[in-house]
Amino acid sequence: MEDVDIEEAREILGDTAKQLTDEQLKDICVEIQYLVETWLDDYERSIFGDKTLRELLGESV
Amino acid sequence: MKIIPKRALLYLRVSTEEQVDNFSLKTQEDICRREAERRGYIIEKIFREEGRSAKTIIGRPTLAKLLDYCRKNQKRIGALIIYRLDRLSRQTGDYLTIRNKLNNYGIALISTAEPTGTSPTEKLIETILAGFAQLENDIRGERSRNGMRTRFMSGLPNGVPPPGYIMLNGYVVKDIGCFNQVKKAWDIMATGTKSFKEITGILNSFRLKSGKTGKRYKFTPKNIYRIFRNKHYMGVIVSETYQLEVQAQHVPMITKEQFLKVQEIFDGKNKNKINIVLRNQNNVDFPLRRFVKCAKCKFAFTGSWCQGRYKKYAYYHCRGRCENSNMPINVMHQSFAKLLKDRPITAEHAAFYLSLLENVFQRRFTKIKQKQIRTASQISKLRNLRQSLIDKNLAGIYSDKDFKEQFDLIEDQLHNMALFSNQTSLEKYTKEATKEYIEKIIVDLPRAYEACDIKQKRTLTSLLFPKGLIWNYPGLNVIR
């Protein structure tokens, strides 16, 4: 997983991120990124015959 | 006039198996039989209690059977014959209780060694003798306790020493057969690289046997825990009874420093960051475990299975074991689903999910494009390789087994590559299609939650309810 741009996240999340420190926001970003990555894996499995892109490429995505 | 013969029961007891071997039971039986004959009784049944102490009447199944037999056959039985009063009990209270029961059944108690009967004087003597039996027992117990304390204070442990040591003539000495292996296990444990399960496997693989009994030690994570917490190995003996620690006389297996190092690892201060105890924190049956707190005691709820008459039932329950905290999982999960429904993802959060998706997708899609460029030449190479493999197998260079293994590997790679060269399968992998897929998920969270795996469920829960949830007996609420 790549590092999420905290400033960009703060900008998108707007008011909901105002009360959060950088550290808290980073934690949230990591968790959301994990969910998005795994959901995308699920989608890939549904179209690539039960395999993720990572598995097809035989390397880390 | 018909004379009905008098019937008697014999009760024989020895406290240790050694006495059984020394025919003490036989001696008692002979004396009791003679007494029965002298008094004109026919012996109906003999009750033998072997290896049982008379300090208490609990844990003496034969005595219980005897009393039951007396109750059921009280009309027929005239007497119970014993060798001495202390065979029945060494506690005056217990003895008198048994005596009263027999009196109520109308059964006389006859001791071959002491005067017993129903006259006031005989009763008094009998009670005094029962008191003496208890006194003897109490004195013996006191001597034994004093002896054990003296032994402990002089650095000699009581009881069976732990693996690696044996008791020889009252002294703890090295068990030559397994001392070095147990020491090796301590050394491995001190590295902090092995879990309980692994170290259990290592110790069992040594196939250690006790030098005293010759029996093989069977190590489990539970007794392994006790071994590595035992100060005996560093030459200190501990007594919970006396609340004391004493320097022992035996040779220590490890140093104090090594012992303390292992204790630190156990207490979670492991520099190598290896989990000593493997715990399954993500249990698929209990996704809300540790997220939900109890409104009464503020402890987190945990989950476990309960065995019913026909099947098992899953429950959440408060770790503080508050009253009525046992909750069938479906009750908790339904309440959680309602909470999810009432708490949709905000527009800002949805936008953030999609923005992250765009980044992730872009990254992966770039990889696909790079792969497609390489695929054409790789497919050609793999086909050549496959043909060469077939030729070599036909020529007898590769065995059928090796051929099959390598052939499957190449086929698998070709199949994967075909996906990248096949435009139709990649047509579905677009930014719009993935966006639509994720949007569907975040719009209907309760449904998406059900489809998630356990890690996704826990991540989603902690994202939506960062401070956790509280069970208000009944009903879940968000902690704000």
Side-chain angles (χ1 to χ4, degrees):
Chain A
M1 275 193 226
E2 284 184 1
D3 280 349
V4 182
D5 187 338
I6 296 294
E7 285 313 308
E8 194 187 330
R10 209 173 270 285
E11 200 177 303
I12 299 168
L13 289 169
D15 286 350
T16 53
K18 270 185 182 171
Q19 296 163 342
L20 303 172
T21 64
D22 278 0
E23 202 61 35
Q24 287 169 324
L25 189 57
K26 198 176 171 188
D27 288 346
I28 290 174
C29 290
V30 169
E31 286 186 335
I32 295 179
Q33 195 176 11
Y34 168 77
L35 280 177
V36 169
E37 297 242 14
T38 52
W39 283 336
L40 193 56
D41 283 345
D42 293 341
Y43 180 68
E44 287 167 359
R45 278 193 199 99
S46 71
I47 61 166
F48 294 138
D50 215 24
K51 282 190 174 178
T52 65
L53 204 56
R54 190 195 310 253
E55 286 160 353
L56 288 173
L57 291 168
E59 57 186 65
S60 63
V61 178
Chain B
M1 197 176 84
K2 191 183 174 187
I3 298 169
I4 301 167
K6 295 188 288 179
R7 291 178 178 273
L9 301 172
L10 302 191
Y11 176 74
L12 321 168
R13 182 189 66 80
V14 284
S15 61
T16 62
E17 286 173 19
E18 286 80 12
Q19 277 179 288
V20 181
D21 294 339
N22 288 336
F23 307 105
S24 186
L25 271 183
K26 181 81 173 69
T27 315
Q28 284 183 42
E29 190 183 331
D30 288 346
I31 295 169
C32 289
R33 275 185 184 280
R34 276 204 298 274
E35 186 66 24
E37 204 177 316
R38 193 176 68 81
R39 294 189 184 228
Y41 281 104
I42 293 171
I43 296 167
E44 175 157 319
K45 201 169 178 182
I46 301 173
F47 291 85
R48 292 183 178 82
E49 189 124 61
E50 300 172 22
R52 302 282 170 175
S53 161
K55 282 181 203 166
T56 166
I57 50 173
I58 301 163
R60 290 169 64 188
T62 312
L63 178 64
K65 277 181 198 164
L66 166 78
L67 293 173
D68 195 45
Y69 191 89
C70 289
R71 182 177 59 79
K72 285 176 184 167
N73 304 288
Q74 50 188 284
K75 285 183 183 166
R76 204 167 66 238
I77 306 299
L80 171 68
I81 303 175
I82 50 177
Y83 171 58
R84 266 169 51 172
L85 295 179
D86 63 4
R87 297 299 88 193
L88 267 189
S89 178
R90 286 186 182 274
Q91 291 293 327
T92 317
D94 290 345
Y95 172 78
L96 292 175
T97 308
I98 298 167
R99 183 80 169 89
N100 275 342
K101 268 183 191 283
L102 294 173
N103 272 347
N104 292 341
Y105 300 152
I107 298 171
L109 181 68
I110 300 168
S111 165
T112 60
E114 296 111 339
T116 45
T118 49
S119 73
T121 317
E122 281 170 330
K123 274 184 180 174
L124 173 68
I125 292 169
E126 202 178 314
T127 311
I128 291 169
L129 288 171
F132 275 120
Q134 181 172 347
L135 178 71
E136 188 191 332
N137 193 51
D138 290 348
I139 290 171
R140 203 186 295 168
E142 193 181 17
R143 274 190 202 142
S144 170
R145 279 193 297 277
N146 288 343
M148 282 166 80
R149 189 183 166 90
T150 312
R151 191 177 152 79
F152 174 80
M153 294 307 287
S154 63
L156 292 166
N158 297 304
V160 182
Y165 291 94
I166 48 167
M167 192 74 84
L168 202 67
N169 301 327
Y171 289 90
V172 175
V173 294
K174 284 183 190 178
D175 186 351
I176 304 298
C178 60
F179 185 86
N180 287 336
Q181 278 97 333
V182 179
K183 188 176 183 331
K184 197 174 172 186
W186 271 95
D187 294 341
I188 295 170
M189 208 62 209
T191 62
T193 57
K194 294 282 180 280
S195 66
F196 274 156
K197 207 175 166 185
E198 286 168 320
I199 201 77
T200 306
I202 291 170
L203 267 169
N204 280 326
S205 73
F206 291 157
R207 304 175 73 82
L208 302 180
K209 280 182 182 175
S210 165
K212 184 90 173 174
T213 61
K215 281 185 186 168
R216 244 188 81 187
Y217 287 114
K218 280 181 189 165
F219 297 100
T220 63
K222 199 176 173 184
N223 61 30
I224 284 286
Y225 181 85
R226 280 204 295 264
I227 286 176
F228 290 108
R229 287 286 197 196
N230 197 341
K231 290 184 177 178
H232 183 102
Y233 290 102
M234 67 162 186
V236 172
I237 50 172
V238 184
S239 166
E240 283 180 20
T241 315
Y242 316 131
Q243 299 283 313
L244 281 173
E245 280 189 18
V246 173
Q247 191 63 42
Q249 285 189 23
H250 64 262
V251 181
M253 184 181 281
I254 51 162
T255 61
K256 189 182 173 187
E257 286 70 31
Q258 189 175 359
F259 180 83
L260 294 176
K261 194 176 171 187
V262 172
Q263 303 318 299
E264 278 191 352
I265 291 168
F266 274 26
D267 296 337
K269 294 169 190 165
N270 185 3
K271 286 173 188 163
N272 289 314
K273 306 285 178 204
I274 300 286
N275 279 334
I276 298 298
V277 182
L278 301 172
R279 283 182 197 279
N280 180 11
Q281 298 200 330
N282 291 329
N283 189 322
V284 288
D285 301 320
F286 308 103
L288 294 177
R289 198 158 78 169
R290 299 204 319 277
F291 276 120
V292 179
K293 286 180 181 158
C294 170
K296 291 179 186 170
C297 69
K298 305 290 183 269
F299 267 125
F301 270 68
T302 185
S304 56
W305 285 90
C306 298
Q307 180 67 56
R309 183 177 286 185
Y310 301 112
K311 61 174 189 174
K312 284 183 169 182
Y313 299 90
Y315 283 91
Y316 284 106
H317 57 85
C318 166
R319 267 177 45 226
R321 292 280 174 193
C322 286
E323 208 178 328
N324 301 326
S325 75
N326 273 10
M327 203 65 54
I329 54 165
N330 60 331
V331 174
M332 187 78 87
H333 290 171
Q334 278 165 11
S335 186
F336 182 70
K338 190 172 174 294
L339 215 59
L340 275 181
K341 205 174 173 184
D342 298 341
R343 202 180 168 89
I345 284 182
T346 60
E348 291 88 355
H349 270 93
F352 187 54
Y353 275 80
L354 295 175
S355 129
L356 281 178
L357 171 70
E358 209 174 309
N359 292 342
V360 175
F361 176 79
Q362 202 53 52
R363 200 157 18 94
R364 293 191 183 187
F365 199 70
T366 312
K367 293 252 181 190
I368 293 176
K369 287 289 162 197
Q370 289 168 352
K371 184 81 177 174
Q372 274 182 326
I373 297 165
R374 295 195 303 266
T375 299
S377 65
Q378 277 179 341
I379 285 178
S380 160
K381 271 186 194 170
L382 280 170
R383 281 180 180 155
N384 289 339
L385 197 65
R386 186 174 58 182
Q387 190 53 49
S388 150
L389 193 70
I390 293 167
D391 294 342
K392 283 178 180 168
N393 175 248
L394 291 172
I397 298 169
Y398 287 153
S399 68
D400 284 353
K401 192 188 165 195
D402 291 343
F403 167 76
K404 178 86 177 54
E405 204 175 279
Q406 293 301 315
F407 188 82
D408 288 348
L409 214 64
I410 294 171
E411 279 297 297
D412 194 41
Q413 284 181 31
L414 276 169
H415 174 75
N416 288 349
M417 290 199 176
L419 276 171
F420 291 105
S421 60
N422 181 1
Q423 285 302 320
T424 51
S425 61
L426 286 178
E427 270 172 11
K428 291 179 191 167
Y429 198 64
T430 62
K431 194 197 294 184
E432 289 71 29
T434 53
K435 190 180 167 192
E436 195 183 326
Y437 180 80
I438 302 289
E439 269 176 345
K440 266 189 191 168
I441 291 176
I442 53 184
V443 163
D444 190 359
L445 271 185
R447 197 172 157 192
Y449 180 84
E450 285 306 314
C452 284
D453 67 24
I454 180 67
K455 281 188 181 173
Q456 288 171 331
K457 277 181 181 172
R458 293 187 68 85
T459 310
L460 195 60
T461 313
S462 77
L463 259 175
L464 295 170
F465 312 105
K467 289 185 180 169
L469 300 162
I470 194 154
W471 182 255
N472 274 332
Y473 295 89
L476 275 176
N477 283 98
V478 182
I479 301 174
R480 296 180 195 281

